[in-house]
Amino acid sequence: DAVIAISEAVKDFFVQRRLTRSPEHVEVIRYGFDPASCDGLVAGRSKLSLRDDLGLDQDKTYVLAVGRLEKQKGHAFLLDARS
C-alpha cells in the first residue's frame, strides 16, 4: 500500500502525524499545469482589456486564492491583512 501526497510538505505532514507506516510508503506526485500553455491568452493584452473580457470593475482590487478553504491554508491571514 502507498499514500499519495501532492508535495514534500504534505508528505512531511503525513509522516509527522503518523498517518502512514513510514516515509517510504508516501509517493509525492505533484499536480499543476504548464504556465506556458496560457501564454497566448494574455500576451500583449492590457489589464484593462482582460478585465473587460471578464466583466471585472476596472477600479476594484481582486484577490484570487486557489485551494480548499481549510485553516491550514491560512485564508484568515489574507482576510485579516485586507481589513
Side-chain angles (χ1 to χ4, degrees):
D1 293 346
V3 175
I4 297 173
I6 61 167
S7 68
E8 291 295 331
V10 172
K11 177 180 179 176
D12 293 344
F13 177 84
F14 289 155
V15 172
Q16 289 170 0
R17 285 167 181 73
R18 298 182 183 187
L19 300 174
T20 183
R21 288 182 286 177
S22 70
E24 293 78 28
H25 287 97
V26 182
E27 183 72 28
V28 176
I29 301 176
R30 291 170 177 76
Y31 64 85
F33 72 100
D34 180 4
S37 68
C38 297
D39 285 349
L41 299 175
V42 296
R45 298 192 51 201
S46 71
K47 184 164 96 174
L48 297 177
S49 134
L50 291 169
R51 283 182 176 227
D52 278 343
D53 287 353
L54 296 170
L56 300 175
D57 191 321
Q58 301 293 343
D59 301 320
K60 289 187 178 177
T61 299
Y62 296 92
V63 175
L64 173 66
V66 178
R68 67 186 190 281
L69 294 175
E70 296 283 342
K71 185 176 181 179
Q72 176 187 19
K73 295 289 184 176
H75 293 99
F77 295 112
L78 177 65
L79 296 172
D80 287 343
R82 182 69 182 139
S83 58

